[in-house]
Amino acid sequence: MNVYRLSELKPAGTKLILEPKTELIELLKLTLFDLTLKQVLIIKKSLKRSHPRDPHLREYVIVETGKNYSKYKPNNFEKYFTERIDEDSYFQLKAYLRAIFKEIPSEYKHKKEIIRDLKINDLFNSDLISSIFSWLKTNPKGNKLKQDIAEYLNQVDENIDNLIENEPDNALELILFLQGNIFLLKNLKFELLENLKLISTVRSNNSDDEYYDDWFWTDFMYDSDLSISDLMSDISEMFDSVDDYFDFDSGGDWDGDYDFDFD
């Protein structure tokens, strides 16, 4: 089965192969969660004043840089997220996401940027008509990979929970292979990932493991102070509510949200 490319694909790219008509907001969500999973960014609730003279503390969802921010090398399509923030600043998530949404020239151009960055041009039509009308469609090679990936992810979805409970070593191999593509699974119970820490002492001694070279999420497997289930609970909650931040019909002004970037 031709699914080896999953180990190289970030979830926004995989989503485009599976569903080229995916909306821009969905792609941004997947990129945000992938960067959060890799600890490039941190999303958390915090008590802040809405402006320096506000006497009251209010609860906001904010975004700030994570422990891997400085060493992570983002793709161009991820730089909308990483270049808007630095290690000395933090922002209200709503203002942050709306600013990113506003900066992207168009849904089609952003999709093409993802495709170019992830080197999956060979999977999509590149004819003049498609370009003129901003159509994005997989070609025969892309259709074959789409079918393989869909079948593979469906199979994983059916077996992942049982695999984590009964074959944790194989489950760890699978999770590390999928990387951020775990966000495309429908049935994964993230709290079960804590079970994988039981085998971490064995796996962490294997310095030749190819998965450990460039993927930072493995920190969660080996740091007793980090909780995968807590992180996933926070991300899952955000995943369900983040659409509200893109509700531009609510009458709010894009620039009406404070970014808290002050002392």
Side-chain angles (χ1 to χ4, degrees):
M1 184 177 292
N2 185 26
V3 296
Y4 71 94
R5 296 182 78 167
L6 271 176
S7 66
E8 306 166 355
L9 286 173
K10 295 178 179 178
T14 306
K15 185 70 172 178
L16 280 180
I17 295 171
L18 294 172
E19 301 175 24
K21 293 183 179 180
T22 299
E23 293 183 352
L24 175 59
I25 291 173
E26 186 68 18
L27 297 174
L28 294 180
K29 285 165 58 178
L30 288 170
T31 298
L32 173 65
F33 300 148
D34 191 38
L35 291 173
T36 303
L37 194 62
K38 292 171 178 172
Q39 300 185 78
V40 177
L41 299 175
I42 295 174
I43 308 297
K44 65 182 183 181
K45 293 179 180 179
S46 182
L47 294 175
K48 300 289 182 183
R49 291 180 173 84
S50 61
H51 57 78
R53 297 181 301 279
D54 188 348
H56 303 292
L57 291 173
R58 309 170 193 275
E59 184 178 79
Y60 293 96
V61 180
I62 67 169
V63 57
E64 61 185 21
T65 58
K67 60 177 288 187
N68 294 317
Y69 174 82
S70 61
K71 58 185 176 181
Y72 185 70
K73 296 180 180 179
N75 289 116
N76 288 323
F77 74 90
E78 295 173 308
K79 289 181 180 179
Y80 292 101
F81 293 86
T82 59
E83 291 187 348
R84 181 162 294 278
I85 197 168
D86 59 38
E87 291 171 306
D88 298 318
S89 63
Y90 52 90
F91 298 90
Q92 185 182 354
L93 182 60
K94 181 183 293 187
Y96 177 74
L97 293 179
R98 289 189 171 192
I100 290 171
F101 189 89
K102 187 176 181 180
E103 185 179 351
I104 292 175
S106 73
E107 180 179 292
Y108 178 73
K109 289 183 179 180
H110 190 62
K111 289 179 177 180
K112 294 292 287 185
E113 191 172 37
I114 294 172
I115 290 170
R116 184 169 57 252
D117 285 353
L118 299 182
K119 298 179 174 59
I120 52 176
N121 308 67
D122 60 323
L123 304 177
F124 295 85
N125 290 336
S126 58
D127 57 277
L128 181 60
I129 297 298
S130 296
S131 179
I132 291 175
F133 291 100
S134 299
W135 291 339
L136 194 66
K137 186 176 181 180
T138 49
N139 58 28
K141 182 178 181 180
N143 290 336
K144 179 61 169 65
L145 182 59
K146 178 192 303 187
Q147 180 181 354
D148 288 348
I149 288 177
E151 291 177 355
Y152 179 76
L153 291 180
N154 286 337
Q155 183 179 15
V156 171
D157 247 335
E158 293 176 0
N159 298 290
I160 186 63
D161 287 353
N162 180 65
L163 198 64
I164 290 175
E165 291 183 332
N166 299 303
E167 300 179 49
D169 194 27
N170 291 332
L172 179 56
E173 290 279 4
L174 178 60
I175 294 298
L176 294 178
F177 169 72
L178 289 175
Q179 304 186 28
N181 291 302
I182 62 173
F183 289 118
L184 302 179
L185 299 176
K186 299 179 177 64
N187 299 326
L188 176 60
K189 296 181 178 65
F190 291 116
E191 60 269 17
L192 291 179
L193 294 180
E194 290 296 327
N195 295 347
L196 298 184
K197 287 192 175 185
L198 297 176
I199 62 169
S200 65
T201 54
V202 176
R203 297 301 308 277
S204 60
N205 292 328
N206 186 355
S207 59
D208 296 327
D209 195 316
E210 61 182 300
Y211 297 122
Y212 290 77
D213 293 337
D214 59 1
W215 191 40
F216 305 118
W217 182 54
T218 53
D219 289 347
F220 282 91
M221 298 298 176
Y222 311 123
D223 190 333
S224 59
D225 294 328
L226 293 174
S227 168
I228 299 171
S229 59
D230 287 349
L231 174 72
M232 288 302 145
S233 177
D234 292 342
I235 291 179
S236 297
E237 179 181 349
M238 184 175 65
F239 199 99
D240 293 334
S241 62
V242 75
D243 284 339
D244 295 338
Y245 298 156
F246 294 103
D247 183 8
F248 303 128
D249 296 325
S250 62
D253 188 338
W254 276 5
D255 300 318
D257 298 305
Y258 292 98
D259 61 15
F260 306 113
D261 192 12
F262 53 75
D263 295 327

